[in-house]
Structure formats: structure tokens, C-alpha cells
Amino acid sequence: MFTTRPTLQGTFGMVSSTHWLASQSAMAVLEDGGNAYDAAVAGAFVLHVVEPHLNGPAGEVPILLAPAGGEVRVLCGQGVAPAGATVAHYRALGLDLVPGTGPLAAAVPGAFDAWMLLLRDHGTKPLADVLKYAIGYAEHGHAPVDNVGATVETVRELFETEWTSSAEVYLPGGKPPRPGHLFRNPALAATWKRLLAEIARAGDREAQIEAARQVWRTGFVAEALVRQARRPTLDTSGDRHTGTLTPDDLAAWSASYEAPVTYDWNGWTLCKAGPWSQGPVLLQQLALLPPELPPYGSADYVHLLVEGCKLAMADREAWYGDAADVPLDDLLSDAYNAERRTLVGPRASYDLRPGSPGGRVPRISAHARVEAAAERVGGAAGAGEPTVAKGPASPVPGEPAVGADGGTRGDTCHLDVVDRWGNMVAATPSGGWLQSNPVVPELGFPLGTRLQMTWLEEGLPNTLTPGRRPRTTLTPSLALRDGVPVMAFGTPGGDQQDQWQLHFLLAVALRGTVRGGLDLQGAIDAPNWHNDGFPGSFHPRGMRPGSVTVESRMDPAVVEELRRRGHDVTVGEPWSEGRLCAVARDPETGVLSAAANPRGMQGYAVGR
């Protein structure tokens, strides 16, 4: 099979991420004697600098980690809704959806504290050693990828007229970041340098990391974040609002560890974050598969996966969230999925069909019911991608800015690392995008907007609820064979993440090995697709019943057969679906592997 790059193999260490500078910075930490967790933290902070349109320090991150010889754990870096973020408060403002941008959409920032816990508990390096790469690129500059400048251009008018602190960083001299020209964020570099200076006398490595957590939660960082949340800000509602974030919200929250949700399939054990994420959607899709699968890549195969995805996503809408108990055991049970599997017929379904696990009655939000009842809603390809702000003149300021080639799509980053000792980590940083909120002038980065994923309707699993996490689409993966971690993987892509990850996993599992190891690159490069036949997770929460978007590299005969079966097929550009990263380790030989997505021309794997 043709692949764009080789599957890398070695024995020392492997990194795959959505930007080559993050991959190489993480590799530099491995070369300096650090482990996978040190490397992941270094790479993550570089991603904040080089992919600011896709993630930031005040965003969020779920992390799956598999220490050598230890148990897989989930480190939750998803912050909760502030104490003042009630349905009643937002309704009193005349809102029926949480805005897609602005401080009303800001949860308690979660990413920074999660990375600090990972470094404290599993790393070996001092904070200064892993932050120096991000500080260097922020202070001295890096050559940005095309999409940074393209994203800034979509919000130029907004930055120049409303979010002027963002213009100071991203439109220096009136010009957006440009490839081949060094772009700097001196305010961000100054933030990290000040933080390191304040913790320098705190004591040993762990004491300094704890001091950094306190600076973030109660020190100068917290003070600046709260000041920004209180500034009236134009958001996607078309009005100016202040947020609900307070000093108490920041001081009270901490990242935390929890057990993964797992599912066994064909000798693999898949580990995911819980139903506060969409992670179990991947597991439900596996549970819905019949014992015998159609030929890989055939129309029968694509139809089966699309229809199974719709069923799993309908259950996500009815049952997932952090504001109510989730009947996960029933959702993953053999009996439930055997019954659900019978709903996959020969033709495409245009209906939203949540199930009744354990006999419970599903409840879908009123907004989602309206969207599902419409014949066609939210016609933009990429309806499941996050909201990005546009200029005030935009007729639909909450819609994602999506280029015809998929080039400006993207909301998130991903990072996987495996080291020579067998430690493995998968993380999907997101939120705090430059186009989500104005840059905090004292810090050089904006607040996030994850609360846009909650509903302003009482009694739902994903109702906006103080102290509870908004259900996120972020969903890294770890895979085990015979109880031993063998692969870490994930992708950006909003609602598409667990679609593309399923296709990748099945390509790895069904298409065999190459050169004695998993054919990671071949699985990433294979023609991919997604559907939007369920309510999107991001404002304005649209859906496209019956839709399937495929890469033009898909066999035309397969496309024609899908259309004959009633699928509303959009044929996209040849390399426009999926942005996967992956690393692997063979426990028998110790051989490490890595691969990265060629789409967008910025993801890279490195290793030796």
C-alpha cells in the first residue's frame, strides 16, 4: 500500500504530534534523559505557542498515561463550570445556547494544572527544563504555519475593533503571522519567565511544581484571568457579556486522576476517558460491530461504520455528561448492543435514535430535537468542528471558518510519546484558542470556551451545572494487547475524533503488519470519512442528517453505492479527513513505532 511516509521504528523513543516543533522539542527532552511524561509536557507547552489557533494554556486536556509496568490512568484536565454559571443566569441574559465565544463560555481553565500534575507525579525534570522550549519560541520567534495567519485573517475586523488585546499579539504592525517570518509572543514568554522566577526559591523539583500550581490558581495568573472574565466582551450572541469566573473558582479546582473506561475487542483492550468526554463513543462503535466485518474499505464496510456511529452518537446525546449518572455498563453490554445492531438496515438512516439502556427512557435536549427534525440543518461541512469567532460583519459569527480544502479546519492538537522504558502517553490539548476569547493582555493567551458544549435546559446529563464538567469531544486513546499497553493514538477534529480513530484502529487491526510492526502510517494515510448525522457539540449545535463526507481518494464505485443506499455524500479534497497521530511499542521485542498525519502538512513523528 502507498504511504506518504514510512512508519518510524527504533528502540530509544518516539514522539508524534500535530506540529513538528512540538515533536522535536519532546524528542529533545528524551535525548536529555527525560521520560515520556517530561517530553509530553515540553511538547504540550510548545503546542500552545505554535498552534495558538488550536489550543492554549487556559484550555483543557484529557491525558491517558500508561507507566511501564503500571496501570493505565486518565488525568482529567477538563475544568468545571464556575459557581455562577447557572442555567438561570444565562436564561436571564436572554440566551438559549451558551455563546460560542467570549467569557460566558469559559470553564475553569484545566490544561495547565493537568500538565503540572503529570510532571510532578510521573516526570523527572524540573519545570524550567521543560518550559524552556516554549519560552524560546515565544520570546525569539518561530516560523508559523499557514493556518495561524489564515485564522487571524478571519477575525481581523473583530480584533481591530473589539478584541484589541488580541490584535496587539496577532496583528503586530497590522500584519498577521506569516510563514517564513518569525512570529513572537513576548507576553506569553514573560508570563512563563515570571512564573519560573516566583517559584525558584520554593525548594526541590516537586515543591517548585506545586508553587507553580499555586501561582496559576491564586497568584498573578489567576488575578489576570479573573480581570479578563469581568471585561464586557462581544461574543457570538452579538452582544457584550461578562463571564462568571471568580478567584474562588480558580483556587478550588484541581486536575485529577481516574480509571479509564475500557472495552475488549478482538484481542485488543481500548482505554478511554469517561463519559464526561465522548471517549466511550469509540467503545460503543466497537461494541456495535458484528462478529464478521465486510471487506475493508468496501461500501458495505463504510455503510456499517457510518450507521453504527450514528447510533453511538445518539446515545452520546441522550446519556453522556457530568451532570447525571451515566449507565455506561448497560451502554457497553453485549445484550444492549446486539439489540441496537438490528437497527442498522440496508439504507442510510436520517433519524436520531438513542437507545434505552436498562429500560431507561432517553431524553434529548429540545434544541437537539428541533435540529434532528429538520430535513437539513447546518450545511457547512465540518459542522462538528468547534466554533471560531469571525468579524462582527459575519452573518453567522458562530460558524466555523472552514476552507474548501479543509485547510482552516481544526480545533485541537494531539501528542503521543513512548520512551525506551515503555512509558506511554496520549493527550489531546484543546481550547483557549486565539479566536475563542480576547488575549489576556498581561498573560499573552485567552480564556477557553468549553461551556458552549453544555445545554441551557435543566435535567440533562450535559446541562450547564456549577462544579460539573462540560461534556468534551476530546478523546485520546490507549490500546492494550493481552493487558500490556502497545499503542497510543488520537486526533483533533471535534465530533469527528472518535470516528477517525475507529477507522484508524480497524485499519491497524484488519490490514496486518509491516516490517514486523504495526502499519501505523498506512492506517493514518488510508482514505477517511466522517458523518454529521447528530447534533454538533459546538455552537450553533447543528446537524446534517444522512450526511457522509469522504475524501476524493475513496473508490468512486464505493461513493456511488453509498449514494444508492441513501447517504448524502459530499466528496471533499483528497487529503482532508483525519489528523491522526500514533506511537506503538512491541512488548516482545521492545521495538517502538510512530507515524503522523500528512494532511495539513504540519504533523510529524520523530524518533530513533
Side-chain angles (χ1 to χ4, degrees):
M1 175 183 172
F2 168 79
T3 61
T4 58
R5 309 165 180 174
T7 295
L8 305 185
Q9 294 194 312
T11 56
F12 179 81
M14 291 283 163
V15 182
S16 179
S17 88
T18 48
H19 196 289
W20 63 84
L21 291 179
S23 295
Q24 189 54 50
S25 297
M27 192 67 202
V29 173
L30 294 181
E31 296 283 4
D32 194 40
N35 65 17
Y37 309 112
D38 299 311
V41 175
F45 279 88
V46 171
L47 286 172
H48 297 159
V49 179
V50 300
E51 294 192 317
H53 58 311
L54 306 180
N55 79 138
E60 46 274 326
V61 59
I63 304 169
L64 269 66
L65 57 143
E71 296 293 322
V72 175
R73 300 291 286 169
V74 176
L75 178 49
C76 174
Q78 174 57 63
V80 298
T86 65
V87 170
H89 175 66
Y90 287 63
R91 289 289 190 180
L93 296 172
L95 299 169
D96 56 7
L97 290 175
V98 177
T101 60
L104 273 180
V108 176
F112 181 86
D113 199 59
W115 291 119
M116 292 303 99
L117 279 188
L118 184 68
L119 185 65
R120 184 195 71 183
D121 297 340
H122 299 278
T124 65
K125 294 285 190 181
L127 180 55
D129 284 6
V130 296
L131 267 183
K132 65 184 180 182
Y133 305 93
I135 292 173
Y137 287 125
E139 184 174 21
H140 303 298
H142 66 96
V145 295
D146 289 343
N147 285 349
V148 178
T151 301
V152 172
E153 281 293 350
T154 69
V155 289
R156 173 188 283 275
E157 183 180 353
L158 179 69
F159 281 13
E160 291 177 337
T161 60
E162 294 281 346
W163 296 8
T164 54
S165 60
S166 298
E168 292 176 8
V169 174
Y170 290 106
L171 288 167
K175 296 180 179 180
R178 292 171 291 166
H181 294 74
L182 291 179
F183 174 71
R184 299 174 176 86
N185 188 340
L188 178 58
T191 295
W192 298 144
K193 292 171 77 172
R194 179 178 173 182
L195 182 142
L196 290 176
E198 291 195 10
I199 69 172
R201 294 186 179 87
D204 62 10
R205 189 187 78 90
E206 292 188 11
Q208 289 188 2
I209 295 171
E210 278 301 299
R213 296 179 70 205
Q214 290 306 311
V215 169
W216 180 274
R217 292 156 69 178
T218 63
F220 79 92
V221 175
E223 293 168 358
L225 291 173
V226 171
R227 278 196 299 272
Q228 183 62 47
R230 292 173 175 168
R231 292 185 176 112
T233 302
L234 181 67
D235 59 36
T236 56
S237 72
D239 293 325
R240 293 175 180 81
H241 292 113
T242 56
T244 61
L245 189 68
T246 68
D248 289 344
D249 295 319
L250 283 162
W253 186 82
S254 172
S256 58
Y257 293 97
E258 58 190 54
V261 179
T262 64
Y263 186 78
D264 295 330
W265 178 81
N266 273 20
W268 297 80
T269 299
L270 276 298
C271 301
K272 301 291 283 187
W276 53 267
S277 76
Q278 73 172 7
V281 162
L282 176 62
L283 309 184
Q284 282 197 252
Q285 289 178 96
L286 288 170
L288 284 163
L289 295 176
E292 296 293 329
L293 294 180
Y296 176 86
S298 65
D300 287 340
Y301 178 86
V302 177
H303 173 79
L304 177 71
L305 267 57
V306 168
E307 295 303 299
C309 174
K310 293 174 187 176
L311 294 174
M313 286 296 198
D315 277 346
R316 184 194 73 169
E317 286 308 305
W319 300 110
Y320 289 21
D322 197 34
D325 291 333
V326 180
L328 202 54
D329 289 344
D330 287 325
L331 289 169
L332 294 174
S333 68
D334 290 343
Y336 177 76
N337 285 285
E339 179 183 356
R340 295 282 278 164
R341 198 177 299 130
T342 64
L343 297 177
V344 177
R347 293 189 59 78
S349 170
Y350 280 59
D351 297 323
L352 189 66
R353 299 179 291 176
S356 301
R360 301 168 182 86
V361 178
R363 182 177 172 190
I364 298 289
S365 73
H367 180 90
R369 290 197 301 272
V370 170
E371 296 294 306
E375 182 177 356
R376 291 288 187 275
V377 180
E385 299 273 356
T387 297
V388 295
K390 291 184 179 180
S394 169
V396 190
E399 286 190 351
V402 179
D405 62 352
T408 61
R409 285 173 57 186
D411 55 283
T412 300
C413 309
H414 189 80
L415 175 71
D416 300 310
V417 188
V418 60
D419 63 27
R420 62 188 185 274
W421 301 287
N423 299 303
M424 194 175 292
V425 59
T428 309
S430 186
W433 312 296
L434 68 86
Q435 64 275 33
S436 63
N437 255 304
V439 165
V440 183
E442 305 93 328
L443 302 177
F445 57 84
L447 286 163
T449 53
R450 194 58 59 173
L451 294 185
Q452 68 176 285
M453 308 181 78
T454 61
W455 294 112
L456 297 180
E457 181 180 341
E458 298 287 4
L460 299 170
N462 194 32
T463 294
L464 176 65
T465 306
R468 296 290 184 171
R469 295 166 288 191
R471 190 198 72 216
T472 176
T473 52
L474 308 176
T475 172
S477 300
L478 271 167
L480 289 67
R481 296 281 287 181
D482 301 319
V484 179
V486 296
M487 187 165 65
F489 60 100
T491 178
D495 293 318
Q496 288 91 325
Q497 289 182 29
D498 280 313
Q499 300 185 57
W500 292 334
Q501 289 186 69
L502 175 70
H503 309 162
F504 165 80
L505 175 66
L506 293 180
V508 168
L510 299 176
R511 295 178 69 87
T513 62
V514 60
R515 294 188 299 280
L518 298 176
D519 186 11
L520 303 182
Q521 193 65 52
I524 288 173
D525 287 355
N528 216 325
W529 67 92
H530 82 274
N531 86 91
D532 296 308
F534 47 86
S537 294
F538 299 90
H539 187 283
R541 312 302 296 267
M543 65 179 285
R544 298 171 60 216
S547 71
V548 180
T549 303
V550 306
E551 291 181 327
S552 62
R553 293 182 296 130
M554 183 176 281
D555 183 346
V558 171
V559 172
E560 183 58 32
E561 175 62 16
L562 291 173
R563 286 175 171 154
R564 192 189 68 78
R565 295 182 183 208
H567 294 279
D568 180 11
V569 180
T570 298
V571 178
E573 295 296 312
W575 296 92
S576 56
E577 290 286 321
R579 297 185 284 282
L580 284 140
C581 301
V583 299
R585 180 179 183 271
D586 186 329
E588 294 184 2
T589 64
V591 171
L592 311 178
S593 304
N597 168 51
R599 301 164 178 88
M601 296 186 291
Q602 66 185 65
Y604 267 89
V606 296
R608 71 171 178 87

